[in-house]
């Protein structure tokens, strides 16, 4: 093909593209002045008809890639006007045939024999002529009935040039109408299309898919749920340009009259084709990327099975991509925003901003049930309205003008594998629309998507050598512990878990094992984030003590002095220590909110308002009843009013930055960390034992065993929701790694001395993640001359969910709303809140700040009596109820002589963090299979035994009797 011919083709393509674009733009302008809707619809119908004819004629005339594009568009009856569908259908198998002489010449050259030496009979009339090849029926010399696929001469050069032209047109459309950016698709086509030009490649693909699907000519009515019932012709012989296949007599899928005549069930046929593709994608990770109707037949004999043809354009995806696609599908089916954003991150789909609701809308549309062609126009209108709403959200979120929002692309990176996957799903949808079948993809594809994830998860440690994440062993205790974890995993007591422990200021255990979730077979790593429920109370209490240590708050102070709105409805006598000791009498506050509308718990300001309006049920300091939910907002309100800062700012300032645990400790996660989140599931066996437990006097009336089962079921669903995970719920919504939590308690056990840097053996290093991940900025198109939108720059400064930019406080502003002075530069420093002290002993606090700076020593507490504060002992004993389970914010643990030896807090489900003061020991366990602590108890018992550390009562060994089991469960309920 000469250059003159190339340029003539190019001129035709670009001229037509401009003509059609101007035709539609002119009609858009004309429509603005029209009042008659019927006349407008008629004008649009005529425009579609004349432009569809122009497109079809050009595609037939030029052939090559343009025919393939037309074949793809002809299947999109769900989105394209009917005029395009009816005309472009002709491209599926009705192109003008190539001369027989050319066909025979190619066969003889490729096979090295004359036609008479190869065939007894060769039908001169082609069965079909497509964009790349022509198909003839023939009989081989040995009598076998076959079809012969012969590649057109010079088609390779034409296809490659057409790809360049298509790329240029797509670039131009993206510039002229930025909301229509098809670059990811055309880029993937440029990569994959040349492979179709080698029929040896197609032959091997055909064999592979046939083997994967277990294709057989024998019908099996007893097939399993994930077995498919389709036919694929056997490959007889292949060369680069000739492919000989077994002949199968069938009806074209777009021959609706013949299908009706033979009694074929079109709905069942399309369902079986969909199942075959679900198997190829999710089970095999190897699928045909070109399922247009011309590539299918239906067998003439009952049960009229689909026959799959043409495997030239076939895509192989990695195991990780296969899992990500399955996870995306299931996340969409279940409305799980966390899993959806996580699947995006895993597959390499990067967004430029945080739009979880809109992302869910898009994938829900993508996996929606197919629409019959007669409903397509109405549905297209609905889709357009939804797209307009999403664009409006984007415009408001980014503060963009209407012109800017058109040019803003929220996707930063779109993986090539996803392009072909999207194309296949869209082609299947178009196929079902053409046949007027309604396919519910979420029902048909779900078993296949589930199988790929559950197969790997179900293996457990016995069949998965990588079940324990591959990190070095720090001690003999850790080596033995890993065996315990394997046993628990084989007993199905662990799904995913982390254990980290410090002894004498050094890391002795840092192990991760299992998988991130029921539908997430990725391994738990040391930096994975777990929802730890009431373990969060120990963090929140620490923040309040930190303010006390910095002189911003007194434990014996009335809350109404700090938080004036709180002093209503008889709460003026409630003091800070009453809240920390669970004796404030507000144990059921907010419970009505939880029952009536749990999602209101994500509204920080509303919850603080409700707490301020609540009425106590008992006098402060009289009864210790676990404030299972209200504790967090009571502490949170005190923290914000006493400090004059946001809750999140104090968390970062007090603990996250000094402990160097950035990115691994949150109360309410920021956008961008979803891919590291473990999802929760429930140990049904454990929770079935609740019926054996009677009422517990130390628990509030709304948190009794008979309520727990329903509460946990609701809690599980809520806790996996993105807006709940992002909410600030300081009693129950901490997300952390075990190594971050253990480091926190290792500092507390040494009265606030920050331990040396975490073990260098851990990967990735602790503190290596940005605490607030940033989305990439918009990359503008070349045609905008490198000018960056000013709106993008301003929008990038915004933070989500309380993670605002730090605002400077005026130096002369000393009143923070509670009559207290507030430092303008915060509290954490080498001298001050994190004041340095001599480190020769944890008890020594008299060294100068200059020495401490030199030694790079950091303390997060100043007061040497801080342990007494935490536990409510010594001079603080009059601030707690005697013999109560709680000190001042922490559960306290007794030694054998009855004295308190340690403190910490566990969470519903089994996660825990605590420390033993005498033994300078701290440990944290995080897990995602919610239970009454069976696995955690066994782990703590083992580690304490190995280290000769007294075992806290909460984890003590109980008899296997029903009474012992009941006591174990009742202890867990106090978390």
């Amino acid at each position: 093909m000469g250059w003159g011919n190339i340029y003539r083709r190019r001129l035709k393509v670009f001229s037509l593209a401009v003509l059609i674009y101007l035709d539609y733009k002119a009609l858009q302008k004309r429509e603005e002045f029209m009042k008659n809707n019927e006349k407008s619809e008629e004008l649009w119908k005529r425009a579609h008809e004349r432009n569809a004819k122009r497109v079809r004629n050009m595609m037939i005339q030029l052939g090559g890639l343009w025919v393939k594009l037309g074949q793809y568009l002809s299947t999109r009856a769900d989105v394209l006007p009917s005029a395009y569908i009816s005309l472009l259908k002709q491209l599926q198998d009705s192109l003008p045939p190539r001369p027989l002489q050319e066909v025979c010449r190619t066969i003889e050259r490729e096979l090295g024999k004359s036609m008479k030496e190869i065939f007894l009979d060769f039908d001169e009339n082609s069965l079909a002529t497509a964009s790349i090849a022509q198909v003839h029926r023939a009989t081989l010399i040995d009598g076998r009935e076959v079809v012969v696929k012969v590649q057109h001469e010079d088609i390779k050069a034409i296809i490659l040039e057409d790809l360049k032209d298509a790329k240029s047109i797509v670039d131009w459309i993206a510039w002229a109408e930025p909301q229509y950016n098809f670059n990811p698709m055309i880029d993937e086509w440029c990569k994959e299309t040349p492979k179709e030009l080698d029929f040896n490649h197609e032959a091997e693909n055909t064999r592979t898919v046939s083997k994967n699907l277990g294709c057989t000519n024998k019908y099996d009515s007893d097939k399993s749920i994930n077995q498919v019932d389709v036919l694929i012709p056997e490959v007889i012989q292949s060369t680069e340009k000739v492919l000989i296949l077994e002949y199968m007599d069938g009806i074209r899928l777009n021959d609706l009259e013949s299908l009706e005549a033979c009694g074929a069930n079109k709905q069942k046929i399309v369902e079986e084709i969909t199942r075959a593709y679900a198997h190829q994608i999710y089970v095999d990770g190897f699928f045909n990327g070109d399922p247009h109707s011309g590539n299918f037949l239906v067998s003439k004999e009952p049960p009229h099975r689909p026959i799959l043809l043409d495997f030239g354009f076939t895509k192989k995806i990695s195991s990780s991509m296969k899992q990500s696609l399955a996870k995306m599908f299931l996340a969409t089916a279940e409305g799980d925003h966390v899993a959806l954003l996580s699947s995006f991150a895993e597959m390499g789909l990067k967004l430029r901003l945080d739009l979880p609701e809109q992302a869910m809308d898009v994938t829900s549309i993508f996996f929606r049930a197919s629409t019959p062609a007669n409903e397509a126009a109405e549905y297209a209108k609905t889709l357009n309205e939804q797209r307009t709403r999403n664009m409006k959200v984007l415009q408001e979120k980014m503060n963009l003008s209407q012109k800017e929002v058109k040019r803003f692309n929220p996707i930063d990176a779109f993986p090539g594998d996803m392009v072909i996957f999207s194309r296949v799903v869209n082609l299947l949808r178009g196929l079902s629309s053409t046949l007027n079948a309604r396919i519910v993809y979420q029902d048909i594809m779900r078993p296949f998507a589930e199988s790929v994830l559950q197969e790997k998860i179900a293996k457990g440690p016995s069949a998965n050598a990588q079940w324990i994440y591959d990190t070095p062993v720090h001690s003999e205790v850790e080596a033995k512990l890993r065996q315990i974890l394997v046993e628990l995993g084989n007993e199905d007591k662990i799904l995913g878990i982390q254990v980290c422990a410090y002894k004498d200021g050094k890391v002795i255990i840092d192990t991760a094992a299992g998988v991130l979730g029921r539908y997430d077979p990725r391994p738990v790593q040391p930096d994975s984030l777990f929802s730890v429920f009431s373990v969060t109370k120990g963090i929140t209490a620490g923040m309040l003590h930190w303010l006390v240590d910095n002189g911003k708050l007194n434990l014996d102070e009335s809350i109404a002095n700090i938080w004036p709105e709180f002093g209503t409805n008889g709460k003026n006598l409630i003091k800070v220590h009453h809240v920390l000791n669970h004796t404030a009498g507000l144990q059921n506050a907010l419970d009505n909110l939880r029952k009536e509308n749990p999602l209101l718990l994500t509204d920080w300001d509303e919850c603080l308002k409700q707490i301020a309006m609540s009425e106590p049920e008992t006098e402060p300091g009289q009864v210790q009843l676990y404030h299972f939910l209200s504790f967090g907002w009571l502490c949170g309100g005190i923290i914000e009013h006493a400090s004059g800062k946001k809750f999140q700012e104090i968390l970062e300032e007090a603990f996250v930055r000094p402990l160097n645990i950035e990115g691994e400790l949150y109360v309410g996660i920021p956008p961008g960390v979803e891919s590291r989140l473990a999802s929760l599931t429930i140990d049904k066996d454990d929770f079935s034992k609740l019926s054996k437990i009677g009422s517990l006097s130390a628990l509030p009336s709304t948190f009794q065993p008979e309520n727990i089962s329903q509460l946990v079921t609701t809690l599980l669903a809520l806790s996996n929701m993105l807006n709940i995970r992002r909410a600030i719920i300081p009693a129950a919504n901490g997300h952390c790694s075990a190594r971050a939590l253990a480091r926190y308690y290792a500092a507390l056990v040494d009265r606030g001395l920050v331990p040396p840097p975490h073990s260098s053996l851990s990967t990735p290093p602790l503190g290596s993640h940005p605490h607030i991940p940033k989305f990439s900025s918009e990359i503008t198109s070349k045609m905008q001359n490198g000018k960056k939108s000013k709106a993008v720059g301003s929008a990038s400064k915004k933070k989500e969910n309380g993670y605002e930019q730090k605002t400077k406080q005026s130096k002369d502003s000393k009143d923070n709303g509670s009559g207290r002075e507030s430092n303008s530069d915060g509290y954490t420093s080498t001298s001050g809140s994190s004041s340095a002290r001599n480190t020769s002993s944890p008890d020594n606090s008299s060294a100068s700040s200059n020495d401490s700076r030199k030694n790079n020593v950091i303390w997060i507490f100043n007061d040497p009596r801080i342990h007494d504060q935490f536990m409510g002992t010594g001079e603080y004993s009059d601030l707690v109820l005697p013999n109560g389970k709680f000190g001042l914010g922490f559960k306290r643990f007794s030694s054998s002589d009855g004295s308190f030896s340690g403190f910490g807090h566990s969470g519903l489900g089994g996660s825990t963090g605590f420390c033993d003061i005498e033994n300078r020991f701290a440990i944290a366990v995080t897990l995602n299979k919610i239970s009454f602590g069976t696995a955690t108890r066994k782990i703590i018992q083992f580690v304490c035994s190995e280290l000769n550390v007294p075992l806290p009562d909460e984890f003590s060994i109980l008899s296997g009797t029903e009474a012992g089991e009941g006591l174990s469960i009742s202890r867990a309920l106090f978390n």
Side-chain angles (χ1 to χ4, degrees):
M1 184 172 64
W3 283 106
N5 193 16
I6 289 172
Y7 284 121
R8 279 193 294 274
R9 289 173 66 85
R10 192 164 290 168
L11 182 61
K12 286 178 182 177
V13 170
F14 282 98
S15 299
L16 183 62
V18 172
L19 176 63
I20 292 174
Y21 175 74
L22 293 176
D23 190 359
Y24 280 125
K25 292 301 284 187
L27 184 53
Q28 279 181 348
K29 291 294 181 185
R30 185 178 174 186
E31 190 180 34
E32 291 175 9
F33 302 100
M34 283 186 188
K35 294 181 180 177
N36 189 327
N37 286 337
E38 288 185 10
K39 188 176 180 181
S40 174
E41 286 180 12
E42 181 62 28
L43 286 173
W44 277 105
K45 182 180 177 182
R46 290 179 191 170
H48 293 324
E49 286 173 352
R50 66 175 171 264
N51 287 320
K53 286 178 183 176
R54 288 167 176 166
V55 169
R56 180 206 57 185
N57 292 340
M58 183 210 74
M59 289 176 170
I60 291 175
Q61 184 182 6
L62 297 184
L65 182 78
W66 304 109
V67 171
K68 291 194 72 63
L69 177 61
Q71 289 170 342
Y72 170 64
L73 294 174
S74 72
T75 65
R76 298 309 310 275
D78 54 328
V79 292
L80 277 180
S82 58
Y84 282 89
I85 303 302
S86 60
L87 287 168
L88 295 181
K89 266 185 188 178
Q90 299 168 17
L91 301 175
Q92 288 175 3
D93 59 5
S94 303
L95 294 180
R98 291 295 184 100
L100 182 63
Q101 187 179 1
E102 176 190 314
V103 171
C104 294
R105 186 167 60 239
T106 301
I107 292 173
E108 291 178 340
R109 184 174 60 246
E110 287 291 304
L111 299 182
K113 294 180 182 179
S114 68
M115 294 290 287
K116 290 183 178 179
E117 291 178 284
I118 305 168
F119 305 107
L120 282 177
D121 180 59
F122 188 88
D123 193 338
E124 296 182 0
N125 298 313
S126 65
L127 289 173
T129 302
S131 57
I132 289 176
Q134 186 161 301
V135 179
H136 289 258
R137 187 173 176 181
T139 306
L140 290 177
I141 203 77
D142 61 6
R144 283 183 291 176
E145 295 288 319
V146 297
V147 291
V148 185
K149 183 175 180 179
V150 185
Q151 192 174 121
H152 303 321
E153 287 185 354
D154 299 327
I155 193 64
K156 186 171 185 178
I158 293 171
I159 290 280
L160 296 178
E161 288 302 324
D162 287 346
L163 282 170
K164 293 177 186 176
D165 295 344
K167 173 67 175 165
S168 299
I169 290 175
V170 165
D171 284 340
W172 174 65
I173 292 173
W175 170 78
E177 302 289 335
Q179 66 270 37
Y180 300 113
N181 184 1
F182 302 109
N183 268 300
M185 178 175 288
I186 198 65
D187 289 343
E188 191 65 16
W189 266 32
C190 289
K191 186 173 79 173
E192 296 293 335
T193 299
K195 296 177 185 176
E196 290 190 76
L197 301 171
D198 183 353
F199 288 174
N200 284 318
H201 180 74
E202 179 177 345
E204 189 56 37
N205 292 342
T206 305
R207 293 187 186 101
T208 302
V209 175
S210 181
K211 181 181 177 183
N212 289 343
L213 297 181
C215 290
T216 172
N217 289 330
K218 185 178 179 183
Y219 175 65
D220 182 5
S221 59
D222 298 323
K223 62 181 185 293
S224 65
I225 190 167
N226 284 355
Q227 185 181 340
V228 298
D229 190 27
V230 295
L231 299 170
I232 295 176
E234 180 188 352
V235 175
I236 307 297
Q237 188 177 359
S238 69
T239 70
E240 184 182 355
K241 296 181 179 179
V242 174
L243 177 63
I244 302 177
L245 298 164
E246 168 193 10
Y247 172 75
M248 285 187 169
D249 194 16
I251 304 166
R252 286 282 175 189
L253 202 58
N254 54 7
D255 186 353
L256 302 183
E257 288 185 10
S258 298
L259 288 176
E260 291 280 354
C262 78
N265 186 321
K266 291 182 289 185
Q267 177 75 23
K268 286 187 177 180
I269 289 167
V270 180
E271 284 180 3
E272 201 59 38
I273 289 172
T274 304
R275 293 180 76 254
Y277 272 84
H279 193 294
Q280 290 175 65
I281 293 165
Y282 295 120
V283 178
D284 309 322
F286 188 80
F287 58 93
N288 183 351
D290 198 19
H292 65 79
S293 59
N295 285 342
F296 298 98
L297 298 173
V298 177
S299 61
K300 291 182 177 179
E301 298 299 320
H304 305 299
R305 290 187 282 172
I307 302 171
L308 279 53
L309 307 172
D310 194 350
F311 294 89
F313 189 6
T314 307
K315 184 72 180 174
K316 183 176 178 61
I317 56 176
S318 66
S319 177
S320 59
M321 174 57 79
K322 190 168 66 170
Q323 290 167 14
S324 298
L325 291 174
K327 187 175 176 180
M328 178 180 71
F329 176 87
L330 292 169
T332 303
E334 297 185 1
D336 186 341
H337 294 76
V338 174
L340 180 66
L341 295 183
S342 174
S343 70
F344 286 176
E346 291 159 35
M347 68 176 64
L349 196 163
K350 297 179 183 176
L351 303 177
R352 289 198 168 99
L353 70 168
D354 181 47
L355 290 170
E357 295 296 336
Q358 285 66 43
M360 181 62 76
D361 282 349
V362 170
T363 54
S364 296
I365 290 170
F366 183 66
F367 290 118
R368 71 191 184 277
S370 64
T371 309
N374 55 6
E375 300 174 20
E378 189 61 33
Y379 196 78
K381 184 180 176 183
T382 304
L383 292 182
N384 193 49
E385 289 171 355
Q386 185 157 2
R387 182 181 173 280
T388 302
R389 287 195 299 271
N390 286 341
M391 291 296 283
K392 189 175 180 181
V393 170
L394 177 64
Q395 184 175 357
E396 291 172 356
K397 191 177 184 75
M398 298 298 293
N399 192 26
L400 299 171
S401 68
Q402 201 146 10
K403 186 176 180 181
E404 285 173 323
V405 78
K406 276 190 173 185
R407 295 197 171 277
F408 182 78
N409 183 359
I411 297 175
D412 184 41
F414 198 84
D417 290 346
M418 183 64 183
V419 172
I420 305 300
F421 172 76
S422 305
R423 181 174 187 266
V424 166
V425 175
N426 283 328
L427 280 168
L428 290 173
R429 178 171 291 107
L431 196 69
S432 60
S433 293
T434 302
L435 294 179
N436 279 320
R438 191 182 300 277
I439 303 300
V440 183
Y441 292 98
Q442 292 189 8
D443 290 345
I444 293 177
M445 297 179 116
R446 183 170 191 137
F448 298 94
E450 285 180 339
S451 69
V452 69
L453 297 178
Q454 291 182 333
E455 180 185 5
K456 188 166 182 180
I457 293 168
K459 287 179 180 177
S462 60
N464 182 1
Q466 283 78 46
W467 192 80
I468 299 278
Y469 191 72
D470 187 17
T471 51
V473 176
H474 295 77
S475 63
E476 288 185 21
V477 177
E478 184 170 27
K480 293 178 183 178
L481 173 65
R482 292 185 177 188
Q483 291 302 313
I484 300 284
L485 296 181
V486 167
E487 290 171 16
L488 288 167
N490 286 328
E491 293 168 8
D492 200 27
K493 290 299 176 186
I494 291 175
L495 183 62
I497 193 167
Q498 296 167 325
V499 184
C500 184
Y502 282 73
K503 183 74 172 71
D504 300 323
K506 295 180 181 178
V507 177
I508 59 166
I509 298 171
D510 189 7
T511 288
V515 295
L516 285 174
R518 183 172 155 229
Y519 291 130
D520 193 343
R522 292 176 302 142
V524 173
Q525 299 186 34
D527 63 335
S528 299
L529 298 173
F530 285 75
S531 178
V532 293
F533 294 103
S534 287
V535 172
T536 317
K537 292 183 175 73
I539 307 292
T540 303
M543 292 166 65
L544 208 148
H545 281 288
W546 186 81
L547 289 175
V548 172
D549 196 62
N550 281 275
K552 298 295 167 185
L553 185 64
N554 294 315
L555 291 170
D556 200 27
E557 190 167 8
S558 292
I559 297 174
N561 290 346
I562 309 157
W563 182 0
E565 299 86 349
F566 184 82
T568 59
N569 297 327
K571 300 194 296 297
N572 55 306
L573 297 179
I574 299 176
K575 298 183 177 182
V576 174
H577 66 81
H578 291 136
V579 169
L580 288 171
N581 193 229
H582 294 269
T583 57
L586 296 169
Q587 61 273 7
N588 290 317
L590 294 183
D591 193 63
N592 285 338
L593 199 66
R594 174 183 67 81
K595 289 178 179 176
E596 293 168 9
N597 186 357
L599 293 180
L600 281 178
L601 298 178
T602 65
D603 188 333
W604 174 256
D605 292 329
E606 178 62 25
C607 289
L608 290 184
K609 180 182 172 184
Q610 292 288 334
I611 284 285
M613 293 165 53
S614 62
E615 295 183 27
E617 297 177 44
T618 57
E619 287 188 26
Q622 297 303 306
V623 183
Q624 190 174 81
L625 288 168
Y626 186 41
H627 289 44
F628 69 101
L629 198 55
S630 56
F631 179 90
W633 283 291
L634 286 165
C635 289
I638 295 168
I639 288 167
E640 290 202 345
H641 284 81
S643 68
K645 294 189 176 186
K646 295 290 184 183
F647 182 91
Q648 304 284 19
E649 291 181 77
I650 297 300
L651 176 61
E652 289 182 52
E653 199 170 339
F655 303 136
V656 172
R657 290 199 298 268
L659 291 171
N660 192 31
I661 53 176
E662 284 90 344
E664 295 192 31
L665 174 62
Y666 298 101
V667 179
I669 62 165
V673 303
E674 294 84 5
S675 64
R676 291 192 287 126
L677 288 180
S679 58
L680 298 164
T681 188
I682 193 169
D683 187 330
K684 293 179 180 177
D685 290 341
D686 247 21
F687 278 88
S688 66
K689 300 169 186 174
L690 270 174
S691 57
K692 302 173 184 176
I693 310 301
S695 296
L696 298 170
S697 59
L699 290 174
S701 58
T702 56
F703 198 63
Q704 290 295 323
E706 63 266 22
N707 312 124
I708 298 296
S709 187
Q710 182 182 354
L711 175 64
V712 168
T713 304
T714 305
L715 190 65
L716 183 66
L718 288 173
S719 297
N720 280 327
M721 291 173 63
L722 184 63
N723 54 348
I724 293 288
R725 289 199 185 241
R726 289 185 175 180
I728 306 168
I729 306 176
N733 200 33
H735 287 78
C736 63
S737 63
R739 62 183 185 175
L741 184 61
R743 188 167 175 78
Y744 169 71
Y745 276 103
L748 298 194
V749 81
D750 279 351
R751 294 188 175 87
L753 172 64
V754 175
H758 192 77
S759 169
S760 60
L761 300 177
S762 291
T763 53
L766 180 60
S768 61
H769 290 286
H771 194 60
I772 307 171
K774 288 182 171 57
F775 287 91
S776 57
S777 60
E778 161 72 339
I779 300 171
T780 51
S781 125
K782 295 181 287 185
M783 301 183 185
Q784 289 178 274
N785 298 319
K787 293 180 181 178
K788 192 169 182 178
S789 168
K790 60 185 178 182
V792 173
S794 62
S796 66
K797 295 178 182 177
K798 297 179 181 179
K799 302 291 178 192
E800 297 289 332
N801 181 42
Y803 291 93
E804 299 95 344
Q805 290 279 14
K806 301 237 183 329
T807 54
K808 285 188 177 179
Q809 297 179 354
S810 169
K811 289 185 179 180
D812 58 357
S813 173
K814 295 189 175 184
D815 188 11
N816 58 28
S818 59
R820 298 169 175 276
E821 291 187 1
S822 176
N823 294 336
S824 61
D825 59 351
Y827 310 125
T828 304
S829 59
T830 311
S831 61
S833 70
S834 298
S835 57
R837 294 186 269 178
N838 192 311
T839 59
S840 58
S841 163
D843 297 318
N844 193 329
S845 59
S846 59
S848 71
S849 61
N850 286 335
D851 288 340
S852 64
R853 286 193 190 100
K854 192 182 297 180
N855 295 328
N856 197 28
V857 174
I858 299 175
W859 294 76
I860 53 177
F861 288 100
N862 292 311
D863 195 337
R865 304 162 300 172
I866 195 68
H867 285 159
D868 286 339
Q869 274 191 42
F870 293 156
M871 295 188 293
T873 55
E875 63 184 87
Y876 299 95
S877 58
D878 59 337
L879 300 183
V880 302
L881 202 67
N883 303 318
K885 292 179 179 294
F886 292 96
L888 291 173
F890 296 90
K891 289 185 74 174
R892 46 194 187 177
F893 304 128
S894 305
S895 60
S896 55
D897 62 3
S899 62
F900 294 113
S901 60
F903 56 90
H905 216 297
S906 297
L908 179 67
S911 294
T912 191
F914 75 88
C915 59
D916 183 287
I917 298 166
E918 291 179 16
N919 293 281
R920 289 187 70 202
F921 169 69
I923 189 167
V925 179
T926 55
L927 38 74
N928 59 351
K929 190 165 193 176
I930 298 176
S931 70
F932 288 121
T934 305
T936 306
R937 255 194 322 276
K938 191 164 185 179
I939 290 164
I940 300 296
Q941 289 166 9
F942 169 76
V943 174
C944 287
S945 172
E946 288 289 311
L947 298 175
N948 200 26
V949 171
L951 183 68
D953 286 346
E954 182 173 328
F955 307 104
S956 60
I957 302 168
L958 301 169
S959 66
T961 64
E962 194 170 298
E965 220 166 52
L967 183 55
S968 297
I969 294 172
S970 63
R971 286 175 177 174
L973 292 181
F974 282 96
N975 301 320

